[in-house]
Amino acid sequence: MTTQISVRLPDGLVHSVDALVAAGGARSRASVVEEALERHLRRTLAERDAAILAAADTDPDDLDALAAWAASQPTGLD
């Protein structure tokens, strides 16, 4: 499912997007906006995760807890 939204962008940015589409670098204006938004959201989540890791009071090289958790997960091969 998709939802159509309206977004106001500066003329110069729209011209750059249109040039990218015209040159075959993207399927459509919408695909450029979608890709940029997805990239922004992934970066925001990565920054959040990095901040959580930086604030953690654990040795980042200690993977014992992760290994124990992974070992307890079903593999689907059982």
Side-chain angles (χ1 to χ4, degrees):
M1 185 169 103
T2 62
T3 301
Q4 183 173 342
I5 63 170
S6 297
V7 179
R8 290 191 180 277
L9 301 171
D11 290 341
L13 190 56
V14 173
H15 291 302
S16 294
V17 169
D18 288 345
L20 181 63
V21 172
R27 292 185 323 267
S28 65
R29 286 175 166 176
S31 69
V32 174
V33 173
E34 181 179 358
E35 183 178 317
L37 183 55
E38 287 173 347
R39 186 179 309 116
H40 175 75
L41 293 173
R42 281 193 307 270
R43 181 184 175 116
T44 300
L45 290 174
E47 288 172 350
R48 183 205 63 190
D49 291 347
I52 291 169
L53 182 60
D57 191 25
T58 59
D59 179 4
D61 293 326
D62 181 11
L63 299 177
D64 292 342
L66 176 60
W69 174 84
S72 71
Q73 300 304 302
T75 62
L77 303 175
D78 302 340

